[in-house]
Every structure is written in structure tokens, then in C-alpha cells.
Amino acid sequence: MAKAQATSGAGQGGFRQAQAWLHTWCGLWFSWLLFAVFLTGTLAVFEEPITHWMTPEHHAEEAAALAAPAKPTASLGQRLDWGVAYMQEHHAGAGMWELWPADAKGAGELRVFWFDSQRQYASAELDAATGQALAAADHAPARQTLGGHHFVDFHYELHAGKVGLWIVGIAAMAMLVALVSGVITHKRIFKDFFTFRTRKGQRSWLDAHNAVAVLTLPFQFMIAYTGIVISGLTFMPAGVVTQFGADGAMAFQAALNEPGKPRPSGQPMALPALESFARRGEQLMGQPVRAVVIDHPGDAAARIGVYGWNEDAGARQRLSPSSGLAMFSAATGEVLQVRLPGGVDGGKASLTQSVLAGLHMVAFGGFALKWLYFLCGLAGSAMMATGAILFIVKRRSRHLGEFGSATARVYRLIEAANVAAIAGLGLACISFLWANRMVPLGLAHRDDWELAVFFGVWALALVHALARPAAAAWKEQLGLLAALCLLLPLLNALTVGDHLGAQLLRGDWESAGVELFALATGLAAVWGRRSMARRKSIAGSVRRSGASVEAEVKA
């Protein structure tokens, strides 16, 4: 024991041994958080389908809209005039008006946006055929939910704001360290990729860990690095502080995103007709109009920005997801700025950051690339899970005594953390979907209750893992995970009257995809639980056989 303890530190042995120590402990202490960040980021790839499933009130409305004949709409100029008239009547004092005259095909409702007195984004919807404001009753009220955006928020900031952003950033740096040290440590890593030995205990876990790691190694490096770059100015604010001061974050964002934006002049001026600006903008940026934004409406310093729709095939071929922009002076009609699709304000550095952000968030490539990211994300999650499990499996047979007399207790805590971080997080995610159907619709702050279910179930999973033996905790949590996943389609049918067969018949692949993935996860949990039971049965048989042989020898 003393020898094992003496040679287990970072300063003992050669360079590869030091890297192995770094890989083991850096990987372990951050593996639980990284698994959660990676798994929720993987689910966030399909944020829109998850949100679609979690807002079933819109499904019938969307189906009816597709089946109904196209509604007549007014011309682009008329719709913009109606939007301006509404804003002048109801929100004349707002410093910004944003008009969305239609969708990319020139159909749909007219929407208007502004900042209210609390600087919150507010909106209204107008009929594109009459210009009349649509009441909320004209649409089916959707349940209050974060939808798939919950997984996005958790993925990059843990629902904890800037503190969470820093925590995830530190974890991403630890992931890079673990990846580099892992490559150095496993000198036969690529050879081992083609070797997988089933039912071999520690060897099987190591083979699984190596296989998923090597398979997606470039993806893991890319995701970790681009995730840090996206928030680079938060982690390294020296340049912003030097130029704009310690409290200059807002000034920096204004200079970056609104270059040349003038202050109000105080001289009133009627807003000119917007159609000519919109048509000129379309020609300059080569995209149909998505939005027309007026800064300082009613003032002589007003600017008119025309933004393009990015829903074209070309967007799938651009790494930078930005749309086109044409900015004009309202007073003179002068072109102040033109940004082509894929361009970015702020120079080469901003363009680089935008491209890397697009690479991280798979803003290009369409569904084929989303599926590739999703599968690689699942493999990355499996890499972290198998690494955490391998740590304990290895030490069950070879106790290293890293923590002296407290080593056994620390190992027990690590085992409980493994259960809660892996099986428990799965329970929290599927419980979030169950809460979407079970929490009453009229409950105030309903989305917060859904979030409370997610974190509450996750916390209960940790308490359960600490209270039960590790093997029992694994089996019980995997069993519950399987039940919740396999019963999700039934829950949906009982609560909203929709079922998987109907989704497939009407071509609702977003809802069907969510439920099919839940079923696949449930079957995987059943397989995992049965595998654990089989291994326990085999181990028991081996022990009984050994005891029989020993008794015969003694006899």
C-alpha cells in the first residue's frame, strides 16, 4: 500500500506517468460537470424540435395553417405602413421600432417589436391583410415553458448567469487538459481503438473509453476550444477595459453591433415611407426583407436598418450565421452601411469569433450536420461517463490509498457522484419533459416549476445514490429512467391526446423524433440494468464455485 501511495503522485515517474496522473484526476473532478454540459449541449442541437414537442397547443394551429389556403396579404409597403401606424399610435415614445412584415415567402402575420419602459423586448402581432392588431385569443395560448432552450442555457451557463459561464469555461479548459494528457498517456490509443473486449470488467471499460475518445477526438477538441472562444471577451476582458473602461461593456457592445449609431438630435422629423428603403436594402444585400428597424423614430437623426432573411440554401454553406444588412439615413436616404450575408461588424477578429461560434453551434450544414453533431455529442458524453466509471472499476481491485485513511469514504462518494451525474442527470432530463405535461397550465411562473423539477429530481438522485449501495443505486435509477422514457409517449397521449402514430401520419417528425429518442434511451437503460444484473449473477457464481473448490481441497 505504501509503495502504491508513493508512486501515485504527479511528481513521481516519468513524463507519461505525470500525464497519466493529470489525465486521471483532472478528468475525474471535472467529468461530472463536463458530462452534464456535454449531454445538455447535445440535446440543445435539437432545441427547436424539443420546444415544438413542449408546446403542443401550437400543433393543431400549425397543421390548420398548412392545410388552409393561403391568406391574402397586402403589399410590402402597405404592411410596413400599418406597422408604423400601430407604433405611432401605441408606442410613439419608444427609441426603437422593429417591424417584421412577413416571413421569407412574403406570407404570415405582421409583427412589431419595441423596448418597453423597463427596457424589456415587447411585441404585438397584426393581421397582414387588414393591419388590425390580433388579440391573444386569436391564437391558442401556449403553455409557459423554457422548452429546448433550457438545455441551451444549462449547457453554457448552468442557469447561473456569469458565475455559471465562468464555471463552464474553467471546465472546458480542464477538458482540453484532459484530452491532451489522455493522448500522451495512451501511446497505443489508435491501436486500442480497434480493440474491444466485452465482459472483461476494467478492460472493457477502458476499451469503450478509448474507442469513443478516438472516434470523436477532433470533435471534442473543436467543441471545447470554440466554446471558450465564444465567451473569450468575458474570460479575457483586458482589451475592452483598456479601450472602454471597467464599466464599458455596454459601450463596447454598442460600438461593435451599432457602429456609427447617432444620438437623437432633438429635431422632429416625420418618418418617410419605408418601402423604398426596404427594396433598396434587398438589392444591396441580396436577401428578402426580414425586418426593418428604425432607431430614434420621429427624430432627424433616425436611421433605417433593413435586415435580410437567412432561411436560404446559402445559409447552410456559410460558417458565419449573420444575415445581410443595409443601413440608411432616414433624413437623406444615404447608404450608411452594407453588410453582406455572412459578414460581421467589427473586423477580422469579430468575423473569426462569429465563424467559431457558428462552428460550435452548428449554424450551417442543415440537418445532416446536426445529426453528426448529435451523435458525436453522445459519443463525447459516453467518453466522460466511461472515464468516471473506469476510475472506480480500476480501484475496486487495486486500492491506491490516495487519501490515506479516508480513501474508502472518498471512493464511496465518487461512486455516488457517478450514479447521480450519469443516471441521475438522465432522470432529471426526462423528468423535465414529464413536468411539461404534468405541471398545471395556469400556474404562475410555470416555466420555473419545470426547472425546479429538473434540479429537484437531480438532487434527489444524489441523495438516493448516497443512501443506497452503489450497485443498487445504479440498478434502481436506471430502472426508473427506463420507465419514464418508455412511458413518455403514453403520458403525451393521456395529457394532450396526441400519440406517436398520429405524429408519424401527419409528418410531425419533430414531435415523433423526441418520443422516438426517449424510447431509444429507455431501451438503452433497460439494457444497462440487465447487464449489471447479469454481471452480478456471474460474479456470484464464480464466488460460489471458488468456495466449493476450496471446500473440496480442505476435505
Side-chain angles (χ1 to χ4, degrees):
M1 179 71 68
K3 183 178 179 181
Q5 195 171 354
T7 59
S8 61
Q12 305 296 328
F15 177 69
R16 284 188 61 250
Q17 286 73 19
Q19 294 299 306
W21 181 92
L22 182 64
H23 180 74
T24 297
W25 291 103
C26 183
L28 176 69
W29 298 130
F30 285 94
S31 63
W32 305 308
L33 175 59
L34 284 171
F35 177 81
V37 168
F38 230 77
L39 182 62
T40 52
T42 300
L43 296 175
V45 169
F46 290 115
E47 171 194 358
E48 293 85 0
I50 294 172
T51 300
H52 174 81
W53 186 90
M54 295 182 73
T55 51
E57 290 78 15
H58 285 333
H59 296 179
E61 184 178 326
E62 292 169 359
L66 289 174
K71 293 170 58 178
T73 58
S75 66
L76 174 63
Q78 181 63 76
R79 279 175 274 153
L80 291 171
D81 289 344
W82 281 334
V84 169
Y86 177 87
M87 296 301 294
Q88 287 175 335
E89 180 179 356
H90 298 282
H91 306 286
M96 183 277 295
W97 296 350
E98 184 173 331
L99 316 178
W100 288 49
D103 59 25
K105 297 179 181 178
E109 306 298 347
L110 164 65
R111 291 176 172 84
V112 292
F113 302 84
W114 66 94
F115 288 113
D116 61 19
S117 56
Q118 281 77 44
R119 295 293 298 167
Q120 298 296 312
Y121 214 40
S123 65
E125 192 168 350
L126 313 181
D127 192 311
T130 65
Q132 298 299 310
L134 297 175
D138 294 339
H139 295 276
R143 61 190 64 205
Q144 187 180 14
T145 178
L146 289 174
H149 198 69
H150 152 63
F151 298 108
V152 178
D153 278 349
F154 185 91
H155 168 68
Y156 81 93
E157 65 173 15
L158 309 177
H159 288 290
K162 186 171 284 190
V163 172
L165 187 68
W166 271 96
I167 292 173
V168 172
I170 293 170
M173 286 296 299
M175 179 177 174
L176 288 175
V177 171
L179 288 171
V180 173
S181 58
V183 171
I184 295 171
T185 299
H186 299 291
K187 61 181 179 181
R188 298 191 312 163
I189 188 169
F190 291 102
K191 179 180 178 181
D192 288 345
F193 169 68
F194 297 100
T195 304
F196 185 74
R197 286 149 285 195
T198 60
R199 302 182 184 181
K200 296 294 183 181
Q202 176 184 332
R203 185 72 253 180
S204 297
W205 285 111
L206 181 59
D207 287 346
H209 182 68
N210 288 341
V212 291
V214 176
L215 180 66
T216 59
L217 189 61
F219 178 81
Q220 314 300 338
F221 272 111
M222 181 274 292
I223 285 294
Y225 179 74
T226 55
I228 294 170
V229 170
I230 290 172
S231 303
L233 290 175
T234 300
F235 302 142
M236 296 182 291
V240 175
V241 171
T242 301
Q243 186 69 25
F244 296 93
D247 300 320
M250 292 184 64
F252 167 73
Q253 290 298 329
L256 181 64
N257 300 319
E258 300 176 340
K261 182 178 180 179
R263 294 179 177 273
S265 65
Q267 300 177 4
M269 186 194 76
L271 190 67
L274 298 179
E275 182 176 14
S276 62
F277 291 94
R279 297 301 184 192
R280 289 172 63 197
E282 285 182 327
Q283 294 177 350
L284 288 170
M285 63 187 175
Q287 285 185 313
V289 175
R290 169 174 61 92
V292 178
V293 179
I294 303 101
D295 293 318
H296 312 313
D299 189 271
R303 297 190 312 173
I304 299 173
V306 180
Y307 293 81
W309 271 105
N310 227 0
E311 299 296 327
D312 58 336
R316 297 193 181 101
Q317 303 172 9
R318 294 195 299 268
L319 285 175
S320 176
S322 60
S323 63
L325 163 66
M327 187 71 69
F328 304 93
S329 166
T332 66
E334 175 189 0
V335 178
L336 302 176
Q337 178 189 1
V338 175
R339 184 185 71 207
L340 296 178
V344 176
D345 300 324
K348 301 288 180 158
S350 293
L351 178 60
T352 300
Q353 186 181 41
S354 178
V355 167
L356 292 178
L359 193 61
H360 185 90
M361 294 182 281
V362 64
F364 61 98
F367 270 102
L369 205 61
K370 282 182 179 289
W371 274 107
L372 179 61
Y373 270 56
F374 185 75
L375 295 174
C376 288
L378 291 179
S381 302
M383 178 191 71
M384 295 160 197
T386 53
I389 293 171
L390 178 63
F391 177 91
I392 284 297
V393 171
K394 182 178 180 180
R395 280 154 180 78
R396 283 177 186 155
S397 59
R398 185 163 58 91
H399 201 294
L400 297 183
E402 294 97 338
F403 304 98
S405 60
T407 298
R409 293 192 298 273
V410 173
Y411 284 178
R412 175 70 186 95
L413 291 175
I414 291 173
E415 275 202 288
N418 281 350
V419 177
I422 299 169
L425 178 63
L427 282 172
C429 291
I430 193 63
S431 296
F432 180 69
L433 299 185
W434 273 68
N436 179 258
R437 294 299 191 257
M438 300 296 290
V439 175
L441 292 181
L443 193 65
H445 305 292
R446 187 181 179 281
D447 52 342
D448 291 335
W449 282 98
E450 290 182 356
L451 202 59
V453 169
F454 173 84
F455 284 108
V457 168
W458 202 6
L460 287 174
L462 177 59
V463 173
H464 172 264
L466 290 169
R468 298 283 288 154
W474 273 114
K475 288 193 293 184
E476 289 160 4
Q477 292 199 22
L478 286 174
L480 181 57
L481 175 61
L484 292 178
C485 288
L486 295 175
L487 291 174
L488 184 69
L490 177 62
L491 173 71
N492 188 44
L494 293 175
T495 53
V496 301
D498 195 15
H499 59 86
L500 185 57
Q503 295 161 6
L504 294 173
L505 285 174
R506 68 173 183 263
D508 185 0
W509 288 103
E510 291 184 312
S511 296
V514 171
E515 296 193 8
L516 287 171
F517 180 70
L519 292 175
T521 304
L523 293 175
V526 169
W527 174 83
R529 191 181 188 282
R530 291 186 63 181
S531 297
M532 289 192 65
R534 185 170 58 248
R535 285 197 299 271
K536 184 177 180 181
S537 175
I538 293 172
S541 299
V542 170
R543 284 195 297 269
R544 287 192 296 271
S545 299
S548 299
V549 170
E550 185 178 353
E552 290 178 9
V553 170
K554 288 181 178 179

